[in-house]
Amino acid sequence: MIVGPLPTKYRLALWNAVTILIIQLLVSGSVYLFMKQQLELSFHHELQQKYDTVLDVIINSEGDIFDVYHLGQLEPILISRNRVVLYATEKWNQLGLSRSLSDDFSSSSHDYIASDDRNYRLMQGWIPIYSYHLFVAMDTEDIDENLHLLATITVSVVAGSVLVVIFASFFLARRAMAPVRAITNKATTISALSLSERIPVVVPSDEIGQMATVFNEMLVRIEDSFHKLQQFTSDASHELRTPLTSMRSVGEVVLQGEATAEEYQNAISSMLEEVERLTDLTQQLLTLARGESGLANLQKEKIDLSSLLITVIDDMQILAEEKSQIITSSIQPEIETDLFVEPFRHAVTNILHNAIRYTPEQGEIRVTLQQNDSSEIILEIEDNGPGIPESERDKVFERFYRIDDARGRDTGGYGLGLAIAKQGIEVNGGNIEFVKGTTQGTMCKILLSQSTS
């Protein structure tokens, strides 16, 4: 059976519990070892005092063992010479501690279990002046009980801490994840019909607040894209419906009665014009769609931008001559840069075509290309047409957007050319905008950061 990863709140609780448990074990272990060492030192100090007391009596009595009797019989004491017992208290004999003398007494002290099943620690020493071996024993029960009690308390504290930490960690993890659950619950309620709703941000400065803020910003972009898509679909449907309706109307009128060959020819000619309009519109929509799908099939090329611009101007001269217009240019030579060539060429062509379309007959269009000291490439296309109101200069780059009157549908545009131009400039890392011209017309200003491979 495959078990998936634990939910985040359980993992947080587990990590907190493990971390605090490790800290608790380290602290408790350190306290236990410290207390054990202190108890051992205290016990050894007390045993040493008893040994020193007997030793002082022997030294002060000049080796007279009889004076040791005055210390009583309740303490286990033994004095021997050459392994012959010279003196032993009743307590010593009662505990049978003499059996331990057969052991190796090279160490100054050792533990021994007496006949009462209690553990004793013996301290021995050599008194050279009298050739005495002195043994003093002391019951370790107190220290053993204290260590056992300390160990029990330590284990109980650690065990209790583990339970408290687990519940506390789980509680805190739930509290910590509560904002995430709120974000999740709110996000699940947001659909295409409620994109205007936003995730509540309780504390904007913390990580969860920042995450909620990012989600809200993403929702703003999604809502904006969704509205643009709806608008695009509506506008595209409207633009497609107009020629289709026209073709249907022409066909129905011709089929209503007998028509002459000339009337059929005119009807078919009118329908072909609408087909051409549909083809042109479809091609522009495909151009926008390809631009939005990315540049996976394109590669930047190092080109002479000056030569490319001269070629585009030459191609557009025919359209300008039909309206007796003049295209003048001031192009700085040999400006090389890396570009996605076709999107850029298409963008400049659309801008020039737009300028020719809305510039009156015998008007003038000026094209300027230069590179400044900051290696920034500046392309300006200025006409002396009716101009674009300042309030409309950003909107004209929106799809299907047309300014009424001078720039209506009767001029033949769909409101897609400038959207395609903006896309072609921006994919090349540039910026495009309309500004007031030096005359009554409008100037389109394009800025490119010079890039060489």
Side-chain angles (χ1 to χ4, degrees):
M1 179 178 179
I2 300 176
V3 180
L6 291 173
T8 303
K9 62 181 179 181
Y10 292 120
R11 282 185 281 137
L12 284 174
L14 181 60
W15 278 110
N16 286 336
V18 170
T19 301
I20 296 177
L21 176 60
I22 292 174
I23 295 173
Q24 185 71 40
L25 287 174
L26 291 175
V27 173
S28 299
S30 300
V31 170
Y32 177 81
L33 292 176
F34 175 77
M35 292 302 297
K36 180 180 179 181
Q37 183 183 31
Q38 294 302 311
L39 289 172
E40 291 281 357
L41 288 175
S42 177
F43 179 85
H44 182 78
H45 179 69
E46 186 177 355
L47 179 58
Q48 185 69 53
Q49 283 185 327
K50 291 183 178 182
Y51 179 89
D52 291 341
T53 300
V54 179
L55 179 61
D56 289 342
V57 171
I58 294 174
I59 296 300
N60 292 333
S61 64
E62 297 181 352
D64 188 353
I65 298 176
F66 181 79
D67 287 347
V68 179
Y69 279 91
H70 299 293
L71 296 176
Q73 302 295 311
L74 299 179
E75 297 293 339
I77 301 170
L78 182 139
I79 302 174
S80 67
R81 178 188 291 161
N82 298 326
R83 291 206 176 257
V84 176
V85 176
L86 301 180
Y87 170 76
T89 62
E90 294 179 2
K91 187 67 173 179
W92 179 279
N93 294 326
Q94 180 183 353
L95 297 173
L97 293 175
S98 295
R99 289 176 296 177
S100 64
L101 300 181
S102 58
D103 298 331
D104 179 17
F105 290 98
S106 57
S107 60
S108 60
S109 64
H110 68 284
D111 291 349
Y112 177 72
I113 299 178
S115 58
D116 58 357
D117 294 327
R118 297 172 69 154
N119 191 57
Y120 286 80
R121 182 165 299 171
L122 275 67
M123 178 176 289
Q124 69 158 347
W126 170 251
I127 308 175
I129 190 172
Y130 306 115
S131 299
Y132 289 166
H133 262 115
L134 173 61
F135 300 89
V136 177
M138 183 175 171
D139 187 356
T140 63
E141 181 180 10
D142 289 342
I143 186 174
D144 291 339
E145 288 180 352
N146 289 332
L147 288 175
H148 178 73
L149 178 61
L150 180 61
T152 302
I153 293 174
T154 301
V155 172
S156 300
V157 169
V158 171
S161 298
V162 170
L163 294 177
V164 172
V165 165
I166 289 176
F167 285 108
S169 298
F170 181 75
F171 173 76
L172 293 175
R174 282 181 59 86
R175 290 291 300 273
M177 297 302 295
V180 178
R181 289 197 302 274
I183 292 174
T184 303
N185 294 335
K186 183 63 178 178
T188 56
T189 64
I190 298 176
S191 64
L193 301 178
S194 57
L195 287 175
S196 60
E197 295 187 23
R198 296 293 178 263
I199 295 171
V201 181
V202 180
V203 184
S205 59
D206 67 7
E207 290 79 359
I208 295 177
Q210 292 173 2
M211 180 178 66
T213 301
V214 171
F215 280 161
N216 286 335
E217 292 172 353
M218 180 181 66
L219 286 172
V220 170
R221 293 193 295 270
I222 293 175
E223 182 182 15
D224 183 60
S225 299
F226 189 77
H227 288 164
K228 286 182 178 178
L229 179 61
Q230 286 181 319
Q231 186 64 40
F232 176 78
T233 303
S234 175
D235 292 340
S237 299
H238 178 73
E239 294 293 340
L240 290 170
R241 184 171 60 248
T242 300
L244 288 173
T245 302
S246 177
M247 285 190 292
R248 180 175 180 176
S249 299
V250 171
E252 288 177 347
V253 169
V254 173
L255 292 176
Q256 281 179 356
E258 294 183 1
T260 65
E262 183 180 358
E263 289 174 334
Y264 279 120
Q265 185 177 6
N266 290 336
I268 292 174
S269 177
S270 177
M271 294 173 73
L272 287 176
E273 288 180 1
E274 296 301 329
V275 170
E276 185 177 355
R277 284 172 57 85
L278 281 174
T279 303
D280 185 33
L281 175 59
T282 304
Q283 184 60 44
Q284 292 191 50
L285 290 173
L286 287 174
T287 299
L288 281 171
R290 290 192 188 103
E292 290 181 345
S293 64
L295 303 171
N297 297 325
L298 297 178
Q299 289 185 346
K300 281 191 173 183
E301 302 177 33
K302 185 177 181 180
I303 65 164
D304 184 343
L305 187 58
S306 305
S307 300
L308 174 65
L309 189 56
I310 291 173
T311 301
V312 173
I313 293 174
D314 290 342
D315 293 340
M316 301 301 294
Q317 285 285 3
I318 298 175
L319 291 178
E321 290 172 359
E322 291 178 356
K323 298 180 67 175
S324 300
Q325 295 171 344
I326 299 174
I327 300 179
T328 61
S329 61
S330 175
I331 299 176
Q332 181 179 331
E334 298 181 353
I335 297 179
E336 292 188 344
T337 187
D338 291 339
L339 288 176
F340 294 109
V341 178
E342 285 309 314
F344 183 81
R345 186 200 302 272
H346 205 162
V348 176
T349 300
N350 281 1
I351 295 167
L352 275 173
H353 190 277
N354 202 65
I356 293 171
R357 177 180 295 166
Y358 300 113
T359 298
E361 291 189 5
Q362 298 182 351
E364 181 182 359
I365 300 168
R366 291 187 294 274
V367 180
T368 304
L369 177 68
Q370 61 180 340
Q371 185 174 0
N372 60 24
D373 296 336
S374 301
S375 298
E376 189 176 44
I377 299 172
I378 305 172
L379 171 61
E380 297 174 343
I381 301 175
E382 183 179 4
D383 62 53
N384 59 356
I388 301 176
E390 185 177 355
S391 61
E392 308 287 335
R393 289 173 188 168
D394 291 333
K395 298 179 181 179
V396 294
F397 291 108
E398 298 176 4
R399 299 168 184 176
F400 297 110
Y401 185 84
R402 283 185 294 253
I403 301 176
D404 294 336
D405 301 325
R407 301 182 184 233
R409 184 181 287 107
D410 56 351
T411 61
Y414 300 99
L416 293 176
L418 292 179
I420 295 173
K422 181 179 177 66
Q423 185 184 79
I425 298 301
E426 289 183 346
V427 297
N428 279 290
N431 181 63
I432 181 172
E433 63 177 341
F434 281 105
V435 297
K436 181 175 176 55
T438 57
T439 60
Q440 66 175 9
T442 301
M443 177 186 293
C444 180
K445 190 173 185 179
I446 299 172
L447 300 179
L448 291 173
S449 297
Q450 201 271 352
S451 174
T452 57
S453 56

